[in-house]
Amino acid sequence: MTDSREAFLAGERPDDVALFLADSYVSDDRLAEFGEEVDDGVLIVVDGERGRNAFQAATGMEAMQFAKSAMDLEGIIDADLTGGTCPETPGDGDHEIQFVFAFAEEQNEDVGGIYAEGDVIHAYAQCTCGTAYSDRWNPADA
């Protein structure tokens, strides 16, 4: 795991975003130049603006619009951002993550809940079935 990926997953890079693009969704070998090759895809950690632009270029969707649509349905996204469980049919092998957009938010005790407990990772995923869903967690709990 790269230092930038570890720092992001620890909540230490709140100005950056992470993108996971599955090989089955995007087959562009040049992506590995910008991120880290992982099982079944590429994970990229970059500054927020570049990351949102890269997300739109790769998916054709505006990143925050996608996040807003995905937050209506909670699912499970793996803490390493490269997999998860679609809430539509948990355990069904036909449901694989196509891509993930994630960002970290710093601890905010005024908000309460998990935000008072520490930094929060927000992750939004798209499944091969078309379902968009979200998950969030404190890095210390992952």
Side-chain angles (χ1 to χ4, degrees):
M1 198 177 308
T2 64
D3 291 339
S4 62
R5 180 176 170 198
E6 287 178 17
F8 179 86
L9 295 174
E12 298 169 1
R13 294 183 65 163
D15 295 329
D16 294 342
V17 298
L19 309 171
F20 168 72
L21 302 165
D23 289 336
S24 62
Y25 184 73
V26 177
S27 59
D28 187 341
D29 293 337
R30 294 175 298 170
L31 288 173
E33 297 173 28
F34 302 102
E36 176 183 355
E37 287 189 64
V38 295
D39 288 342
D40 302 322
V42 173
L43 187 88
I44 303 168
V45 177
V46 293
D47 71 83
E49 188 63 29
R50 283 182 45 211
R52 287 185 290 276
N53 290 338
F55 179 84
Q56 186 164 0
T59 66
M61 293 182 249
E62 197 276 323
M64 296 314 288
Q65 282 297 107
F66 170 68
K68 190 174 185 177
S69 70
M71 69 177 22
D72 292 335
L73 184 61
E74 289 190 20
I76 298 169
I77 299 172
D78 296 347
D80 68 359
L81 304 176
T82 64
T85 304
C86 179
E88 290 299 314
T89 313
D92 182 344
D94 294 332
H95 293 264
E96 300 292 329
I97 285 183
Q98 292 182 302
F99 54 83
V100 173
F101 172 75
F103 61 90
E105 186 173 349
E106 294 177 308
Q107 181 176 359
N108 184 342
E109 293 180 12
D110 294 337
V111 175
I114 68 169
Y115 299 94
E117 297 171 17
D119 299 333
V120 176
I121 301 293
H122 294 263
Y124 307 92
Q126 178 80 28
C127 181
T128 53
C129 75
T131 299
Y133 59 96
S134 66
D135 196 1
R136 61 190 173 138
W137 60 87
N138 296 107
D141 296 337

mmCIF file of all heavy atoms in Angstrom, residues 80-119:
data_model
loop_
_atom_site.group_PDB
_atom_site.id
_atom_site.type_symbol
_atom_site.label_atom_id
_atom_site.label_comp_id
_atom_site.label_asym_id
_atom_site.label_seq_id
_atom_site.Cartn_x
_atom_site.Cartn_y
_atom_site.Cartn_z
ATOM 1 N N ASP A 80 -10.610 -0.603 2.345
ATOM 2 C CA ASP A 80 -9.522 -0.305 1.396
ATOM 3 C C ASP A 80 -10.063 0.288 0.100
ATOM 4 O O ASP A 80 -9.315 0.570 -0.830
ATOM 5 C CB ASP A 80 -8.676 -1.541 1.117
ATOM 6 C CG ASP A 80 -9.406 -2.618 0.335
ATOM 7 O OD1 ASP A 80 -10.601 -2.456 -0.002
ATOM 8 O OD2 ASP A 80 -8.773 -3.655 0.056
ATOM 9 N N LEU A 81 -11.388 0.473 0.011
ATOM 10 C CA LEU A 81 -12.104 1.110 -1.102
ATOM 11 C C LEU A 81 -12.148 0.296 -2.386
ATOM 12 O O LEU A 81 -12.567 0.800 -3.417
ATOM 13 C CB LEU A 81 -11.529 2.503 -1.407
ATOM 14 C CG LEU A 81 -11.487 3.480 -0.247
ATOM 15 C CD1 LEU A 81 -10.812 4.775 -0.676
ATOM 16 C CD2 LEU A 81 -12.875 3.748 0.311
ATOM 17 N N THR A 82 -11.747 -0.964 -2.359
ATOM 18 C CA THR A 82 -11.671 -1.740 -3.594
ATOM 19 C C THR A 82 -12.752 -2.809 -3.730
ATOM 20 O O THR A 82 -12.714 -3.602 -4.668
ATOM 21 C CB THR A 82 -10.289 -2.410 -3.730
ATOM 22 O OG1 THR A 82 -10.128 -3.355 -2.675
ATOM 23 C CG2 THR A 82 -9.165 -1.387 -3.698
ATOM 24 N N GLY A 83 -13.702 -2.829 -2.844
ATOM 25 C CA GLY A 83 -14.772 -3.822 -2.915
ATOM 26 C C GLY A 83 -15.887 -3.449 -1.976
ATOM 27 O O GLY A 83 -15.862 -2.403 -1.330
ATOM 28 N N GLY A 84 -16.871 -4.307 -1.899
ATOM 29 C CA GLY A 84 -17.998 -4.052 -1.007
ATOM 30 C C GLY A 84 -19.124 -5.025 -1.262
ATOM 31 O O GLY A 84 -18.984 -5.992 -2.010
ATOM 32 N N THR A 85 -20.260 -4.729 -0.638
ATOM 33 C CA THR A 85 -21.451 -5.561 -0.775
ATOM 34 C C THR A 85 -22.619 -4.682 -1.191
ATOM 35 O O THR A 85 -23.012 -3.781 -0.453
ATOM 36 C CB THR A 85 -21.785 -6.268 0.551
ATOM 37 O OG1 THR A 85 -20.648 -7.018 0.975
ATOM 38 C CG2 THR A 85 -22.975 -7.189 0.398
ATOM 39 N N CYS A 86 -23.156 -4.940 -2.354
ATOM 40 C CA CYS A 86 -24.296 -4.189 -2.861
ATOM 41 C C CYS A 86 -25.501 -4.447 -1.966
ATOM 42 O O CYS A 86 -25.809 -5.604 -1.663
ATOM 43 C CB CYS A 86 -24.600 -4.607 -4.291
ATOM 44 S SG CYS A 86 -26.030 -3.765 -5.022
ATOM 45 N N PRO A 87 -26.207 -3.404 -1.547
ATOM 46 C CA PRO A 87 -27.371 -3.606 -0.686
ATOM 47 C C PRO A 87 -28.576 -4.218 -1.405
ATOM 48 O O PRO A 87 -29.500 -4.693 -0.759
ATOM 49 C CB PRO A 87 -27.694 -2.200 -0.186
ATOM 50 C CG PRO A 87 -27.137 -1.287 -1.211
ATOM 51 C CD PRO A 87 -25.930 -1.981 -1.763
ATOM 52 N N GLU A 88 -28.558 -4.250 -2.722
ATOM 53 C CA GLU A 88 -29.689 -4.799 -3.473
ATOM 54 C C GLU A 88 -29.759 -6.317 -3.388
ATOM 55 O O GLU A 88 -30.825 -6.881 -3.295
ATOM 56 C CB GLU A 88 -29.628 -4.355 -4.941
ATOM 57 C CG GLU A 88 -29.906 -2.877 -5.117
ATOM 58 C CD GLU A 88 -31.298 -2.475 -4.642
ATOM 59 O OE1 GLU A 88 -32.287 -3.164 -4.967
ATOM 60 O OE2 GLU A 88 -31.391 -1.452 -3.935
ATOM 61 N N THR A 89 -28.638 -6.988 -3.458
ATOM 62 C CA THR A 89 -28.604 -8.446 -3.390
ATOM 63 C C THR A 89 -27.326 -8.879 -2.697
ATOM 64 O O THR A 89 -26.385 -9.330 -3.336
ATOM 65 C CB THR A 89 -28.685 -9.067 -4.802
ATOM 66 O OG1 THR A 89 -29.734 -8.454 -5.534
ATOM 67 C CG2 THR A 89 -28.939 -10.555 -4.733
ATOM 68 N N PRO A 90 -27.268 -8.734 -1.377
ATOM 69 C CA PRO A 90 -26.043 -9.103 -0.674
ATOM 70 C C PRO A 90 -25.656 -10.559 -0.934
ATOM 71 O O PRO A 90 -26.496 -11.449 -0.924
ATOM 72 C CB PRO A 90 -26.397 -8.901 0.799
ATOM 73 C CG PRO A 90 -27.568 -7.985 0.792
ATOM 74 C CD PRO A 90 -28.302 -8.258 -0.493
ATOM 75 N N GLY A 91 -24.375 -10.759 -1.202
ATOM 76 C CA GLY A 91 -23.863 -12.112 -1.401
ATOM 77 C C GLY A 91 -24.016 -12.663 -2.800
ATOM 78 O O GLY A 91 -23.468 -13.703 -3.116
ATOM 79 N N ASP A 92 -24.760 -11.986 -3.667
ATOM 80 C CA ASP A 92 -24.940 -12.435 -5.040
ATOM 81 C C ASP A 92 -23.671 -12.098 -5.826
ATOM 82 O O ASP A 92 -23.257 -10.949 -5.866
ATOM 83 C CB ASP A 92 -26.154 -11.743 -5.652
ATOM 84 C CG ASP A 92 -26.449 -12.195 -7.064
ATOM 85 O OD1 ASP A 92 -25.575 -12.800 -7.702
ATOM 86 O OD2 ASP A 92 -27.563 -11.929 -7.542
ATOM 87 N N GLY A 93 -23.061 -13.062 -6.443
ATOM 88 C CA GLY A 93 -21.808 -12.867 -7.160
ATOM 89 C C GLY A 93 -21.902 -11.947 -8.361
ATOM 90 O O GLY A 93 -20.899 -11.521 -8.900
ATOM 91 N N ASP A 94 -23.107 -11.627 -8.814
ATOM 92 C CA ASP A 94 -23.280 -10.751 -9.971
ATOM 93 C C ASP A 94 -23.198 -9.272 -9.606
ATOM 94 O O ASP A 94 -23.441 -8.413 -10.433
ATOM 95 C CB ASP A 94 -24.617 -11.026 -10.656
ATOM 96 C CG ASP A 94 -24.644 -12.412 -11.279
ATOM 97 O OD1 ASP A 94 -23.567 -12.915 -11.645
ATOM 98 O OD2 ASP A 94 -25.738 -12.982 -11.391
ATOM 99 N N HIS A 95 -22.878 -8.980 -8.371
ATOM 100 C CA HIS A 95 -22.809 -7.596 -7.911
ATOM 101 C C HIS A 95 -21.369 -7.264 -7.536
ATOM 102 O O HIS A 95 -20.869 -7.699 -6.506
ATOM 103 C CB HIS A 95 -23.735 -7.385 -6.707
ATOM 104 C CG HIS A 95 -25.174 -7.523 -7.081
ATOM 105 N ND1 HIS A 95 -25.966 -6.444 -7.377
ATOM 106 C CD2 HIS A 95 -25.965 -8.609 -7.223
ATOM 107 C CE1 HIS A 95 -27.182 -6.857 -7.687
ATOM 108 N NE2 HIS A 95 -27.203 -8.180 -7.601
ATOM 109 N N GLU A 96 -20.720 -6.504 -8.393
ATOM 110 C CA GLU A 96 -19.334 -6.094 -8.174
ATOM 111 C C GLU A 96 -19.245 -4.581 -8.278
ATOM 112 O O GLU A 96 -19.945 -3.966 -9.092
ATOM 113 C CB GLU A 96 -18.407 -6.730 -9.214
ATOM 114 C CG GLU A 96 -18.405 -8.241 -9.217
ATOM 115 C CD GLU A 96 -17.795 -8.854 -7.974
ATOM 116 O OE1 GLU A 96 -16.887 -8.235 -7.392
ATOM 117 O OE2 GLU A 96 -18.238 -9.952 -7.586
ATOM 118 N N ILE A 97 -18.371 -3.996 -7.498
ATOM 119 C CA ILE A 97 -18.180 -2.552 -7.568
ATOM 120 C C ILE A 97 -17.495 -2.190 -8.878
ATOM 121 O O ILE A 97 -16.495 -2.803 -9.246
ATOM 122 C CB ILE A 97 -17.359 -2.049 -6.361
ATOM 123 C CG1 ILE A 97 -18.251 -2.042 -5.118
ATOM 124 C CG2 ILE A 97 -16.780 -0.674 -6.614
ATOM 125 C CD1 ILE A 97 -17.592 -1.510 -3.872
ATOM 126 N N GLN A 98 -18.062 -1.185 -9.567
ATOM 127 C CA GLN A 98 -17.442 -0.662 -10.778
ATOM 128 C C GLN A 98 -16.475 0.465 -10.439
ATOM 129 O O GLN A 98 -15.410 0.560 -11.020
ATOM 130 C CB GLN A 98 -18.501 -0.136 -11.742
ATOM 131 C CG GLN A 98 -19.370 -1.217 -12.321
ATOM 132 C CD GLN A 98 -20.361 -0.624 -13.287
ATOM 133 O OE1 GLN A 98 -21.158 0.238 -12.936
ATOM 134 N NE2 GLN A 98 -20.308 -1.088 -14.519
ATOM 135 N N PHE A 99 -16.909 1.350 -9.525
ATOM 136 C CA PHE A 99 -16.042 2.440 -9.113
ATOM 137 C C PHE A 99 -16.465 2.964 -7.755
ATOM 138 O O PHE A 99 -17.592 2.746 -7.308
ATOM 139 C CB PHE A 99 -16.005 3.582 -10.142
ATOM 140 C CG PHE A 99 -17.351 4.128 -10.530
ATOM 141 C CD1 PHE A 99 -17.995 5.089 -9.755
ATOM 142 C CD2 PHE A 99 -17.966 3.705 -11.696
ATOM 143 C CE1 PHE A 99 -19.215 5.600 -10.125
ATOM 144 C CE2 PHE A 99 -19.201 4.207 -12.084
ATOM 145 C CZ PHE A 99 -19.827 5.164 -11.290
ATOM 146 N N VAL A 100 -15.509 3.640 -7.086
ATOM 147 C CA VAL A 100 -15.731 4.243 -5.774
ATOM 148 C C VAL A 100 -15.148 5.655 -5.804
ATOM 149 O O VAL A 100 -14.070 5.878 -6.358
ATOM 150 C CB VAL A 100 -15.032 3.446 -4.647
ATOM 151 C CG1 VAL A 100 -15.129 4.177 -3.307
ATOM 152 C CG2 VAL A 100 -15.632 2.049 -4.522
ATOM 153 N N PHE A 101 -15.882 6.579 -5.227
ATOM 154 C CA PHE A 101 -15.414 7.945 -4.999
ATOM 155 C C PHE A 101 -15.437 8.150 -3.492
ATOM 156 O O PHE A 101 -16.440 7.837 -2.843
ATOM 157 C CB PHE A 101 -16.356 8.943 -5.684
ATOM 158 C CG PHE A 101 -16.062 10.380 -5.355
ATOM 159 C CD1 PHE A 101 -14.973 11.019 -5.920
ATOM 160 C CD2 PHE A 101 -16.867 11.084 -4.481
ATOM 161 C CE1 PHE A 101 -14.702 12.344 -5.615
ATOM 162 C CE2 PHE A 101 -16.603 12.400 -4.169
ATOM 163 C CZ PHE A 101 -15.513 13.045 -4.743
ATOM 164 N N ALA A 102 -14.343 8.629 -2.913
ATOM 165 C CA ALA A 102 -14.283 8.776 -1.455
ATOM 166 C C ALA A 102 -13.527 10.040 -1.065
ATOM 167 O O ALA A 102 -12.647 10.507 -1.788
ATOM 168 C CB ALA A 102 -13.605 7.558 -0.834
ATOM 169 N N PHE A 103 -13.902 10.564 0.098
ATOM 170 C CA PHE A 103 -13.165 11.691 0.673
ATOM 171 C C PHE A 103 -13.183 11.562 2.183
ATOM 172 O O PHE A 103 -14.002 10.834 2.746
ATOM 173 C CB PHE A 103 -13.726 13.047 0.220
ATOM 174 C CG PHE A 103 -15.159 13.304 0.612
ATOM 175 C CD1 PHE A 103 -15.466 13.915 1.826
ATOM 176 C CD2 PHE A 103 -16.192 12.957 -0.235
ATOM 177 C CE1 PHE A 103 -16.785 14.155 2.188
ATOM 178 C CE2 PHE A 103 -17.505 13.201 0.111
ATOM 179 C CZ PHE A 103 -17.811 13.808 1.333
ATOM 180 N N ALA A 104 -12.252 12.262 2.832
ATOM 181 C CA ALA A 104 -12.150 12.235 4.291
ATOM 182 C C ALA A 104 -12.637 13.570 4.851
ATOM 183 O O ALA A 104 -12.428 14.617 4.246
ATOM 184 C CB ALA A 104 -10.703 11.992 4.718
ATOM 185 N N GLU A 105 -13.289 13.494 5.980
ATOM 186 C CA GLU A 105 -13.751 14.697 6.681
ATOM 187 C C GLU A 105 -13.135 14.669 8.072
ATOM 188 O O GLU A 105 -13.163 13.639 8.749
ATOM 189 C CB GLU A 105 -15.278 14.687 6.758
ATOM 190 C CG GLU A 105 -15.867 15.935 7.321
ATOM 191 C CD GLU A 105 -17.398 15.961 7.233
ATOM 192 O OE1 GLU A 105 -17.987 15.093 6.549
ATOM 193 O OE2 GLU A 105 -17.990 16.841 7.867
ATOM 194 N N GLU A 106 -12.607 15.805 8.482
ATOM 195 C CA GLU A 106 -11.957 15.877 9.785
ATOM 196 C C GLU A 106 -12.982 15.792 10.908
ATOM 197 O O GLU A 106 -14.161 16.116 10.736
ATOM 198 C CB GLU A 106 -11.163 17.175 9.899
ATOM 199 C CG GLU A 106 -9.986 17.218 8.939
ATOM 200 C CD GLU A 106 -9.241 18.532 8.992
ATOM 201 O OE1 GLU A 106 -9.889 19.589 8.876
ATOM 202 O OE2 GLU A 106 -8.007 18.476 9.154
ATOM 203 N N GLN A 107 -12.519 15.358 12.066
ATOM 204 C CA GLN A 107 -13.358 15.239 13.255
ATOM 205 C C GLN A 107 -14.085 16.554 13.512
ATOM 206 O O GLN A 107 -13.515 17.634 13.368
ATOM 207 C CB GLN A 107 -12.497 14.879 14.472
ATOM 208 C CG GLN A 107 -13.291 14.716 15.743
ATOM 209 C CD GLN A 107 -12.425 14.255 16.909
ATOM 210 O OE1 GLN A 107 -11.224 14.044 16.766
ATOM 211 N NE2 GLN A 107 -13.036 14.083 18.055
ATOM 212 N N ASN A 108 -15.368 16.451 13.896
ATOM 213 C CA ASN A 108 -16.171 17.631 14.193
ATOM 214 C C ASN A 108 -17.093 17.288 15.357
ATOM 215 O O ASN A 108 -18.172 16.726 15.160
ATOM 216 C CB ASN A 108 -16.972 18.054 12.960
ATOM 217 C CG ASN A 108 -17.738 19.330 13.171
ATOM 218 O OD1 ASN A 108 -17.972 19.768 14.304
ATOM 219 N ND2 ASN A 108 -18.148 19.945 12.079
ATOM 220 N N GLU A 109 -16.658 17.606 16.550
ATOM 221 C CA GLU A 109 -17.417 17.251 17.748
ATOM 222 C C GLU A 109 -18.775 17.937 17.801
ATOM 223 O O GLU A 109 -19.716 17.410 18.406
ATOM 224 C CB GLU A 109 -16.590 17.562 18.995
ATOM 225 C CG GLU A 109 -15.368 16.660 19.091
ATOM 226 C CD GLU A 109 -14.517 16.943 20.311
ATOM 227 O OE1 GLU A 109 -14.953 17.676 21.216
ATOM 228 O OE2 GLU A 109 -13.400 16.405 20.358
ATOM 229 N N ASP A 110 -18.920 19.100 17.159
ATOM 230 C CA ASP A 110 -20.192 19.826 17.166
ATOM 231 C C ASP A 110 -21.296 19.060 16.443
ATOM 232 O O ASP A 110 -22.469 19.193 16.776
ATOM 233 C CB ASP A 110 -20.032 21.207 16.537
ATOM 234 C CG ASP A 110 -19.123 22.119 17.345
ATOM 235 O OD1 ASP A 110 -18.962 21.871 18.560
ATOM 236 O OD2 ASP A 110 -18.569 23.067 16.758
ATOM 237 N N VAL A 111 -20.925 18.257 15.456
ATOM 238 C CA VAL A 111 -21.912 17.501 14.683
ATOM 239 C C VAL A 111 -22.407 16.293 15.477
ATOM 240 O O VAL A 111 -23.556 15.883 15.356
ATOM 241 C CB VAL A 111 -21.321 17.072 13.323
ATOM 242 C CG1 VAL A 111 -22.282 16.176 12.563
ATOM 243 C CG2 VAL A 111 -20.967 18.295 12.498
ATOM 244 N N GLY A 112 -21.520 15.704 16.276
ATOM 245 C CA GLY A 112 -21.892 14.537 17.070
ATOM 246 C C GLY A 112 -21.739 13.243 16.287
ATOM 247 O O GLY A 112 -21.201 13.219 15.192
ATOM 248 N N GLY A 113 -22.260 12.163 16.853
ATOM 249 C CA GLY A 113 -22.200 10.854 16.216
ATOM 250 C C GLY A 113 -20.781 10.438 15.894
ATOM 251 O O GLY A 113 -19.853 10.725 16.643
ATOM 252 N N ILE A 114 -20.608 9.780 14.746
ATOM 253 C CA ILE A 114 -19.277 9.312 14.381
ATOM 254 C C ILE A 114 -18.324 10.472 14.099
ATOM 255 O O ILE A 114 -17.115 10.303 14.164
ATOM 256 C CB ILE A 114 -19.292 8.314 13.203
ATOM 257 C CG1 ILE A 114 -19.706 8.968 11.895
ATOM 258 C CG2 ILE A 114 -20.171 7.126 13.511
ATOM 259 C CD1 ILE A 114 -19.478 8.081 10.681
ATOM 260 N N TYR A 115 -18.867 11.643 13.799
ATOM 261 C CA TYR A 115 -18.024 12.816 13.539
ATOM 262 C C TYR A 115 -17.330 13.297 14.813
ATOM 263 O O TYR A 115 -16.252 13.866 14.752
ATOM 264 C CB TYR A 115 -18.849 13.942 12.929
ATOM 265 C CG TYR A 115 -19.455 13.544 11.614
ATOM 266 C CD1 TYR A 115 -20.747 13.034 11.543
ATOM 267 C CD2 TYR A 115 -18.723 13.631 10.437
ATOM 268 C CE1 TYR A 115 -21.293 12.649 10.332
ATOM 269 C CE2 TYR A 115 -19.256 13.242 9.223
ATOM 270 C CZ TYR A 115 -20.545 12.747 9.186
ATOM 271 O OH TYR A 115 -21.070 12.352 7.990
ATOM 272 N N ALA A 116 -17.939 13.064 15.954
ATOM 273 C CA ALA A 116 -17.332 13.443 17.229
ATOM 274 C C ALA A 116 -16.256 12.443 17.647
ATOM 275 O O ALA A 116 -15.365 12.776 18.427
ATOM 276 C CB ALA A 116 -18.401 13.532 18.309
ATOM 277 N N GLU A 117 -16.334 11.232 17.099
ATOM 278 C CA GLU A 117 -15.392 10.172 17.476
ATOM 279 C C GLU A 117 -14.058 10.272 16.763
ATOM 280 O O GLU A 117 -13.085 9.648 17.177
ATOM 281 C CB GLU A 117 -16.026 8.808 17.188
ATOM 282 C CG GLU A 117 -17.279 8.548 18.004
ATOM 283 C CD GLU A 117 -18.015 7.310 17.548
ATOM 284 O OE1 GLU A 117 -17.422 6.475 16.825
ATOM 285 O OE2 GLU A 117 -19.205 7.169 17.897
ATOM 286 N N GLY A 118 -13.990 10.997 15.655
ATOM 287 C CA GLY A 118 -12.747 11.122 14.902
ATOM 288 C C GLY A 118 -13.024 11.476 13.457
ATOM 289 O O GLY A 118 -14.159 11.809 13.093
ATOM 290 N N ASP A 119 -11.985 11.424 12.652
ATOM 291 C CA ASP A 119 -12.129 11.686 11.223
ATOM 292 C C ASP A 119 -13.104 10.661 10.629
ATOM 293 O O ASP A 119 -13.285 9.571 11.177
ATOM 294 C CB ASP A 119 -10.780 11.573 10.521
ATOM 295 C CG ASP A 119 -9.768 12.587 11.048
ATOM 296 O OD1 ASP A 119 -10.191 13.653 11.535
ATOM 297 O OD2 ASP A 119 -8.568 12.294 10.988
#
